[in-house]
Amino acid sequence: MTTPIRGTAGFALFDTAVGRCGIGWTTHGIASVQLPEATEIRTRARLRRRLPDAAEVTPPPVAQHAIDRIIALLAGVEDDLGDLPLDMSGVPEFHRRVYAAARKVRPGTTVTYGTLAQQLGAPDAARAVGQAMGRNPFAIVVPCHRVVAAGGGLGGFSATGGVTTKLKMLAAEGTAPPQKPVRSRLPFDPADAVARLRRADRKLAACIDTIGSCLLATEPTSTLFGGLARAIVYQQLSTAAAATIHRRALALPGGSGPDLVPAQILGATDNELRDAGLSRPKQLALRDLADRVDRGALPTLAATRRMNDAAIIEQLTQVRGIGVWSAQMFLIFRLGRPDVLPGDDLGVRKGFAVVYGCDLPTAEQVLSHGERWRPYRTVASWYLWQSAGGR
């Protein structure tokens, strides 16, 4: 389909093998394809969020042609939908590049987030690719269901039903499920956490039903310095930009592994750090961190595993550039602590507003409500992040 869609913006719902989907269009092309939500009301709400001025109307011929092809694809007819025009208005440039690459993945095949990142010339941006997939407004047409995790894992899927829906869509295209199961590296049982959260909070339970299984996992790091240095580099930057800077920093003399070491920072000149892309505040923060680790003023990674959350936060926030939020991210994504609620995190607050249908809450409101989520506030935070578009 190469002909522009004539007329005003609109949307429609239609039945498929995976449920009642939705499609929205403008004069420039398909603006949204929505997989089924828990109810048709929610499906319509998602479409209206993308096209607030659109009316639910009978699709024009070109949009109907797209609907027919989507229905056929989900029924097992091979079609990559690659010629359907998309209205990318408001879509970030990096996401556009990710979606263009993903559209080249043929039915019956899959590709990993890391492979897509490499194809884009940003090999360290696998997480950024995952975030783009999680915010994909063109489900099915941009086949995020064909993008999977490395090592045989399915990866995340933000549609209702989560990875179960992803498996159904892959099966319809004749793709065998991954040979390796998705394994959690968390030091607690996420299934138990989800069960407790369901009992504790009815609205959060509905959110869990929409998103599916908890796919939270820790990120490997060999040292405390390596994990915190990476956190400093990534502060207030897009994932893709931060990954590039981190890769340049890793190339500084004195290191050889996947993590930065203090000697690389302490032995580098200001010009070398600047050439790697590090701002002056980040240079100072990294030098302070490296100095403290070199002097033994901070606990080792092994020692932090024996400390409680409050003690770790108190220690880490002594470092220049490491605030409470950064320390909380370390607790969640490096140590896998089960009961961390970063109330100041904008993604958590946005997700809270989505789940509870309210205005953007204050950190205090999130923390107060979150008392009912103990001792698994980390898992609740993960679901709030997914509701806000993923983290």
Side-chain angles (χ1 to χ4, degrees):
M1 183 176 73
T2 58
T3 306
I5 299 176
R6 301 188 182 281
T8 58
F11 71 89
L13 302 187
F14 58 98
D15 292 316
T16 74
V18 299
R20 195 157 174 78
C21 296
I23 187 170
W25 60 86
T26 69
T27 56
H28 301 292
I30 303 301
S32 178
V33 179
Q34 180 62 46
L35 285 165
E37 291 289 325
T39 66
E40 288 188 15
I41 292 175
R42 291 186 181 180
T43 304
R44 288 187 175 91
R46 286 274 190 172
L47 290 165
R48 288 193 174 105
R49 191 177 304 168
R50 172 79 171 146
L51 294 168
D53 298 325
E56 186 171 3
V57 296
T58 300
V62 177
Q64 184 61 54
H65 178 64
I67 291 172
D68 292 341
R69 290 174 64 183
I70 291 171
I71 292 172
L73 174 68
L74 294 176
V77 177
E78 184 173 343
D79 186 347
D80 66 6
L81 309 179
D83 60 333
L84 294 181
L86 300 180
D87 182 352
M88 292 279 187
S89 301
V91 176
E93 177 59 31
F94 181 75
H95 289 199
R96 295 186 186 203
R97 293 174 57 207
V98 172
Y99 299 157
R103 294 190 79 182
K104 297 177 182 178
V105 183
R106 298 281 304 177
T109 65
T110 59
V111 67
T112 67
Y113 300 105
T115 298
L116 275 189
Q118 290 175 350
Q119 292 174 0
L120 295 172
D124 292 329
R127 182 187 291 182
V129 169
Q131 290 173 341
M133 291 290 98
R135 297 174 184 175
N136 173 23
F138 312 105
I140 309 171
V141 178
V142 173
C144 49
H145 60 286
R146 297 178 199 147
V147 186
V148 298
L154 275 173
F157 203 56
S158 58
T160 298
V163 294
T164 301
T165 299
K166 190 171 190 174
L167 278 171
K168 288 180 180 178
M169 296 174 69
L170 290 172
E173 298 176 355
T175 305
Q179 295 181 348
K180 296 181 181 179
V182 176
R183 299 186 185 277
S184 171
R185 299 194 301 271
L186 297 172
F188 62 90
D189 182 1
D192 179 58
V194 167
R196 291 200 184 197
L197 291 171
R198 283 182 182 278
R199 293 193 296 268
D201 192 321
R202 179 176 56 84
K203 288 192 175 180
L204 188 62
C207 166
I208 292 169
D209 289 338
T210 297
I211 292 171
S213 302
C214 176
L215 302 178
L216 174 68
T218 56
E219 299 168 353
T221 186
S222 57
T223 64
L224 178 85
F225 179 83
L228 290 178
R230 188 179 190 278
I232 290 172
V233 171
Y234 274 67
Q235 284 173 353
Q236 298 179 326
L237 290 175
S238 70
T239 304
T244 298
I245 294 172
H246 189 253
R247 185 171 65 251
R248 291 173 184 163
L250 285 172
L252 291 169
S256 59
D259 288 327
L260 285 166
V261 297
Q264 289 178 283
I265 302 301
L266 295 175
T269 66
D270 290 349
N271 286 341
E272 287 173 328
L273 294 179
R274 185 184 65 245
D275 290 344
L278 293 164
S279 65
R280 184 60 178 166
K282 290 187 178 183
Q283 291 180 38
L284 294 174
L286 287 170
R287 289 196 187 281
D288 183 48
L289 173 63
D291 177 66
R292 289 174 185 270
V293 170
D294 194 54
R295 291 188 286 109
L298 289 176
T300 64
L301 184 64
T304 62
R305 300 190 189 283
R306 300 188 295 271
M307 298 166 62
N308 64 43
D309 294 353
I312 294 172
I313 291 174
E314 182 180 2
Q315 286 277 329
L316 299 189
T317 52
Q318 302 298 314
V319 179
R320 182 172 187 153
I322 299 289
V324 172
W325 179 85
S326 295
Q328 289 173 324
M329 296 304 102
F330 183 85
L331 290 172
I332 293 173
F333 293 106
R334 298 296 178 174
L335 299 182
R337 293 296 172 92
D339 196 33
V340 181
L341 177 55
D344 283 319
D345 185 277
L346 183 58
V348 166
R349 294 167 61 207
K350 285 183 175 179
F352 189 99
V354 171
V355 172
Y356 296 95
C358 61
D359 293 334
L360 189 69
T362 64
E364 291 74 19
Q365 288 171 323
V366 173
L367 292 171
S368 175
H369 185 91
E371 284 298 312
R372 70 193 66 188
W373 302 331
R374 289 183 183 272
Y376 291 118
R377 293 182 298 170
T378 294
V379 176
S381 299
W382 185 85
Y383 278 103
L384 295 181
W385 275 319
Q386 305 315 302
S387 297
R391 185 187 188 282

